[in-house]
Amino acid sequence: MIVGPFRLDIANQCLWRGAREITLTPKPFTVLRYLLENPARLVSKEELLEAVWHRHHVSDAVLKVCVQEIRRALEDDPRAPRYIETRHRLGYRFIGKVAASPAASGVPPELPPLGGSPCATRPARLVGREAALAELRGHLDTALRGQRQVLFVTGEAGIGKTTVVEAFLAGLAEADTWIARGQCLEQYAAGEAYLPVLEAFGWLCRTAKRARLIESLRHYAPTWLAQMHALLSGAEREALKREILGATRERMLREMSEVVEALAAGMPLVLVLEDLHCSDYATLDLIASLARRQAPARFLFIGTYRPGDVLQNRHPLQTVKQELQLHDLCAELPLAFLSEAAIVDYVAARFPESRPPAGLTRLIRQRTEGNPLFMVNVLNYLVTQGLWVEIDGRWQLAVPLEAVELGVPQKLRPMIERQIERLSRREQRTLEAASVAGLGFSAAQVAAALEQDLVTVEECCAALARREQFLEVGGFVEYPNGQMAERYAFLHAFYRDIVYQRIAAARRARFHQRIAEHGEGSYGDRAGEIAADLALHFEAARDHARALRYLREAADNAARRFANREAIAYLTRALQGVEHLPETERDDARLAILEQRALVRRAMGYDVQGAVQDFSLLAGLARDLGRVEYQIRALVYLSIVLSWTDLERCLATAEQAVELSRRLDDSLLRAHARGVYGHWHSLFRHWRMEDVDASAEALEAATGAGDRALMTLHSSQYACFQFLRSEYRAACVAAERGMQFAFETGDAFEYMLNQFYRALALLYLGRWGELWRLLGSGIQMAEKNAHPFWAMLFRLELAWLHLYIFDFGRARLLCEQCRCEAWGLRYETGRILSLILLGNAHAGLEEQVRAHDCFAEASALCDERRRGMDWLLKMPLHHGLSGYHLARGDFEKARREGERVCQM
């Protein structure tokens, strides 16, 4: 296209003025081209953003910057425009005269790109993959009939997995199909939980379907929407935090399945996750969950991976795939090497009018074994070495075939290394810094690593991408601090690995350091959002202090996504890194990280034995170091975990914490230890009111100070003691405060425990309407988040309420729903309580034989425990027995049981 003295070179994506090349970065070039293709027409901002950034959500400011760059290149004054006119708040209009480029324009011939133009030419069509594409289309057809499909496309590096998937997707109409794509990133250890899935849906949220998708996520999958911070305002994040409190891994898996089915009901959904050999455990759990769902869905999942890497690294993907195959829930599409006939087709498509001798394609097949990546690089090598040349418009060998055979390297690596060495020093250094940033990277990261100007780096990357040498354009990124930069990606992970391994260790570490520091600076107080990436770079830079900091933040991020395995993996990595800290810092770091890992294991009852082991290890380490405060905290938490499995050891551990706390001049910690001990002793042993009063007074002083985690524990224990003292209003206040503390710290267990105590207090205060609403929300929360223990306890409290209002039939139904023979130790109290309340319901319905059976079974279970009954069980048991004996005419026994109730 000719615009005044300028010529737009579409093929090479550059702008000429006479013989002078004017460099435009990729996005401004695309904007200019779009305006030139729509001359004299007002193009709205929305149209430009969709046309140029159709897979990204960017602000108007980005478009404004692009137009400014175009105007500088065209020497156009916005106040008196000759080419681009701005229509305020509407868009832009190209007002210059546009002419087609003549066949012979008189300008100098275009300079060939480094390495020769054929290296920058992609094949006209995909060759040798017709069967694979047909199989992909077959799975799509099956999915369109409502039968969900899970397909793994497999093959070694360079076999063309991504190329095949891209060719398949290119045949789909995005307007009529949800197409979501994400990529797993290689990590030193466990990857970031659900990262490729969040990336896939994040991309969808930046398309024209954004509003529909966000609404679906809000309705069906709020736990997932809460992870996409960029899509939410502060108020929305706070509201979602309250809505998803107590969520679990099971809820996240269920919600993603539900949103997939909801989206697929409107139009087919294709979800592609690449490089699953680098995937995290949580993503594999999700894939298995999606495959096992029985509901019909027009859903096709495609995952790519390298089988060799999976087997070598013993990646759990192998087990997941085998289990799904066993139940006929997935299929595998292994890609084979290209045949010699396919190589002939490729050469013909890439080099029209070529005359390759019969032995050349056979030689390429022998040397590459039909690996497409190796084949392309062999052809590139032949061109750049002058062995395969264009003469009079026809491509042919310039030397005998025997010379070609001697010249072609036996392996791919030396061939690629020679290609790298032919680049300019500036391009080599740019690629080196890019390889440190990752498979995909922004020009801003590379500029930071090289300490160069961003524009200079973007020009270098754009030139390599135009020639399709090592890089391709990957979009646009806008950092939280307002910086904007182009994104690029290596054409293949193999290229990135070779470049990375060529870098000297010291320079590599320096690049990692600068890239990490750029991430810190560009994200500011939001750096925690990329904690896993920052930890990786700081580890490689040997900046161990900051690496540990971000590993702990990455663990927090994983825990918020209920991906406990990933969180534990990060913290285990952090514990290993402690050894690299200065000796004076190691003890504190080791104690803090070990406590954090133990708390992750304790959360929501996950890995009870692991939590016991970690808290015991923490207590022993603190004892050896003389850190009594850490030892007491470890013992307190250990007693909480042991309360689920070993009541005797629970009490002994809490008592040990009390004894240790007497050595410290720390009233808060003493109160904490005393309160926990009193709490368990009151629950699991005969209790005396003076002990309850002493524990309540100790905790009363502690609930207004200390960190939120301890205050949450104090509040639930204080509410318990106030209930025992019959101070029901004070118990309500303490429980409400505990619920707020638990919400702020995200501790769902303590939130529901305080909710439970508040419900008991409301029951005895006679505030039954408020109690009804509280129990309704509690049951809903417990069921939505897969907490059967709490759902059972809240239902029993609801049954208790129905007994108080003489609705014995409803009370019986609720108690029968809660009966279970395999509750185990943790559910023992609930089992006994359900029997007692059920006995009361039968008695109220004048079913005296059934009432007797329930009370007898409950009494037998209490005797089996060989300890005093829980205070929770005493009142309903004695009340029920009093009514039972009264109905039988045994007034003396009824009187004794009634007196016991009055004494409470």
Side-chain angles (χ1 to χ4, degrees), residues 37 72 163 189 295 363 611 632 727 730 843:
E37 290 171 349
R72 284 195 299 270
T163 304
L363 172 65
I632 293 171
E727 298 287 347

Side-chain angles (χ1 to χ4, degrees), residues 616-635:
S616 300
L617 182 61
L618 177 62
L621 178 61
R623 181 195 61 230
D624 295 342
L625 296 173
R627 300 292 294 275
V628 180
E629 70 282 4
Y630 263 108
Q631 187 180 0
I632 293 171
R633 288 168 65 97
L635 291 172

Side-chain angles (χ1 to χ4, degrees), residues 50 65 207 310 313 363 376 452 554 622 657 724 759 765 861 869 890:
E50 174 61 26
V65 170
T207 67
V310 169
N313 299 323
L363 172 65
V376 170
Q452 289 183 1
L724 291 176
L765 284 170
L861 286 172
M869 291 181 297
D890 193 337

Side-chain angles (χ1 to χ4, degrees), residues 682-686 862 865-871 873-874:
S682 300
L683 287 176
F684 301 145
R685 287 287 184 265
H686 292 293
C862 288
R865 297 203 295 186
R866 298 178 182 178
R867 58 181 176 83
M869 291 181 297
D870 295 345
W871 58 269
L873 308 177
K874 290 185 176 182

Side-chain angles (χ1 to χ4, degrees), residues 666-676 695-715 717-718 737 741:
D666 186 333
S667 58
L668 176 61
L669 206 52
R670 283 202 307 272
H672 183 49
R674 181 68 181 84
V676 170
S695 297
E697 289 169 6
L699 285 176
E700 189 171 10
T703 51
D707 62 57
R708 286 296 200 215
L710 288 182
M711 290 168 69
T712 303
L713 290 175
H714 293 332
S715 296
Q717 294 156 10
Y718 188 57
R737 181 168 51 186
F741 289 161

Side-chain angles (χ1 to χ4, degrees), residues 286-439:
L286 177 61
I287 293 170
S289 175
L290 291 171
R292 292 187 181 112
R293 291 275 289 195
Q294 298 298 312
R298 294 187 296 168
F299 170 62
L300 170 60
F301 170 81
I302 301 173
T304 69
Y305 73 88
R306 305 176 198 163
D309 288 16
V310 169
L311 292 173
Q312 180 179 349
N313 299 323
R314 298 182 180 179
H315 195 281
L317 173 60
Q318 183 69 13
T319 303
V320 170
K321 192 197 76 171
Q322 288 175 345
E323 289 179 356
L324 293 179
Q325 282 182 320
L326 183 65
H327 296 90
D328 198 25
L329 295 175
C330 75
E332 182 177 0
L333 173 56
L335 295 184
F337 291 116
L338 296 179
S339 65
E340 185 177 343
I343 295 175
V344 171
D345 289 343
Y346 178 85
V347 174
R350 179 169 170 179
F351 303 100
E353 303 297 327
S354 63
R355 293 178 178 176
L360 178 62
T361 51
R362 189 177 306 115
L363 172 65
I364 294 173
R365 177 69 175 80
Q366 290 172 351
R367 288 290 172 89
T368 65
E369 296 182 342
N371 183 298
L373 179 65
F374 199 175
M375 175 195 70
V376 170
N377 277 275
V378 165
L379 286 166
N380 288 347
Y381 177 83
L382 294 176
V383 172
T384 56
Q385 293 296 305
L387 304 176
W388 179 246
V389 296
E390 186 180 17
I391 300 175
D392 296 332
R394 293 180 181 273
W395 288 89
Q396 54 191 294
L397 281 178
V399 296
L401 184 61
E402 295 76 15
V404 174
E405 187 172 357
L406 293 173
V408 176
Q410 295 286 343
K411 295 183 178 180
L412 180 57
R413 182 177 296 274
M415 185 181 301
I416 294 176
E417 287 180 339
R418 292 183 191 179
Q419 292 178 18
I420 295 171
E421 289 163 2
R422 286 194 298 271
L423 298 175
S424 68
R425 181 58 184 156
R426 172 190 168 195
E427 289 172 325
Q428 289 185 39
R429 287 184 62 81
T430 299
L431 285 179
E432 287 173 353
S435 73
V436 173
L439 186 61

Side-chain angles (χ1 to χ4, degrees), residues 80-106:
R82 292 178 297 160
Y83 301 113
I84 298 177
E85 177 186 66
T86 301
R87 299 293 296 274
H88 187 54
R89 295 184 179 179
L90 296 177
Y92 301 94
R93 189 163 66 98
F94 194 86
I95 58 177
K97 186 175 292 186
V98 182
S101 300
S105 61

